[in-house]
């Protein structure tokens, strides 16, 4: 992960960045990396309570880890009633609420953009999902490193690099059990289609 350009990480006038934190391996690796490179981080975590006690355990894990890493943590709790499911599925509705809150935090703390832990493999999944949904050539552009108040410093980093970084530094993380279930199109792509494509061509995600 040494090719991450920390100089491009958006920070407040006081030098703080805002990270969207789930507690998973990707966001934990990003938080650890930025902290190790002298960047003071504010962790932003949304608890939708959709996985019952597991959601609360994720929140408590992040609260505990933020203390160990001397990071400020902000938590927003939502309920299922907060989700607008009239025109969106649960994942999309949660995403809308999540990024709306991140935008509020950026304005409150005078930070240009929130950092997310989207990486190279996420990019490949996004492009494939967009094509399947009929986005055509527009879908091939995928996610941008900087876009509408979102900064993605790991976009050129592979999942394998993140795994190695996690192991090398002994970084704890939480596994979201819903990621293993193919209820949603992205999960099906991640769990079934991408492994097949990577078997055919190991450079698929690059």
């Amino acid at each position: 992960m040494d090719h991450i350009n920390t100089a491009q990480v958006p920070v407040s006038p006081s030098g703080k960045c805002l990270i969207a934190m789930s507690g998973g391996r990707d966001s934990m690796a990003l938080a650890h990396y930025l902290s190790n490179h002298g960047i003071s981080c504010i962790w932003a975590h949304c608890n939708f309570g959709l996985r019952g006690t597991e959601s609360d355990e994720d929140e408590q894990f992040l609260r505990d880890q933020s203390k160990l890493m001397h990071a400020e943590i902000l938590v927003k709790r939502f309920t299922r009633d907060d989700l607008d499911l009239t025109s969106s599925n649960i994942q999309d509705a949660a995403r809308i609420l999540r990024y709306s809150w991140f935008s509020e935090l950026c304005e409150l703390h005078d930070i240009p953009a929130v950092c997310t832990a989207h990486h190279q493999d996420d990019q490949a999944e996004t492009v494939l999902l967009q094509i399947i949904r009929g986005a055509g050539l527009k879908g091939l552009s995928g996610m941008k490193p900087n876009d509408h108040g979102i900064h993605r410093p790991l976009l050129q980093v592979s999942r394998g690099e993140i795994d190695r970084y996690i192991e090398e530094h002994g970084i704890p993380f939480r596994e979201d059990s819903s990621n293993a279930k193919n209820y949603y199109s992205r999960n099906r792509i991640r769990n079934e289609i991408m492994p097949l494509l990577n078997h055919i061509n190991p450079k698929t995600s690059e």
Side-chain angles (χ1 to χ4, degrees):
M1 293 183 21
D2 289 337
H3 51 286
I4 297 173
N5 188 348
T6 55
Q8 292 183 351
V9 173
V11 297
S12 68
S14 62
K16 290 188 175 183
C17 75
L18 180 70
I19 309 179
M21 295 292 294
S22 67
R25 67 180 66 219
D26 305 333
S27 63
M28 287 300 297
L30 176 59
H32 185 279
Y33 186 89
L34 294 182
S35 178
N36 268 10
H37 284 75
I39 299 178
S40 180
C41 302
I42 300 174
W43 294 9
H45 175 68
C46 291
N47 183 349
F48 289 92
L50 296 175
R51 290 173 287 115
T53 57
E54 187 177 332
S55 295
D56 293 334
E57 288 168 358
D58 288 348
E59 177 184 328
Q60 188 58 53
F61 167 79
L62 283 170
R63 290 187 183 279
D64 294 340
Q65 290 300 312
S66 66
K67 291 179 182 178
L68 293 175
M69 294 178 64
H70 308 289
E72 179 182 354
I73 184 169
L74 302 172
V75 175
K76 180 77 170 181
R77 282 178 164 252
F78 296 95
T79 68
R80 195 180 185 91
D81 292 337
D82 294 318
L83 300 172
D84 180 6
L85 302 179
T86 56
S87 59
S88 304
N89 61 37
I90 290 178
Q91 282 191 328
D92 289 338
R95 186 179 299 110
I96 291 171
L97 286 178
R98 188 163 60 246
Y99 281 102
S100 176
W101 182 54
F102 293 158
S103 179
E104 293 175 10
L105 291 179
C106 285
E107 184 175 355
L108 179 64
H109 294 274
D110 197 14
I111 300 174
V114 62
C115 289
T116 68
H118 293 116
H119 50 75
Q120 195 175 73
D121 295 63
D122 291 326
Q123 179 76 293
E125 293 167 7
T126 296
V127 170
L128 187 54
L129 183 60
Q130 293 281 50
I131 293 173
I132 291 172
R133 288 177 172 174
L137 293 177
K138 183 179 179 180
L140 294 176
S141 62
M143 295 180 285
K144 299 177 181 178
N146 295 283
D147 185 37
H148 296 93
I150 304 172
H151 180 67
R152 302 180 175 97
L154 300 183
L155 208 53
Q156 300 302 316
V157 179
S158 71
R159 179 172 286 128
E161 289 178 88
I162 292 173
D163 288 343
R164 288 191 290 274
Y165 185 83
I166 286 282
E167 183 176 357
E168 178 183 348
H169 294 276
I171 302 171
F173 60 89
R174 293 277 296 174
E175 288 281 10
D176 184 340
S177 62
S178 66
N179 288 336
K181 301 174 182 178
N182 294 331
Y183 295 147
Y184 304 104
S185 297
R186 179 176 287 275
N187 286 12
R188 191 170 297 114
I189 289 172
R190 177 177 300 161
N191 298 330
E192 296 181 357
I193 299 177
M194 290 305 298
L196 176 60
L197 292 178
N198 283 320
H199 178 72
I200 297 172
N201 180 5
K203 295 185 178 182
T204 296
S205 299
E206 296 182 4

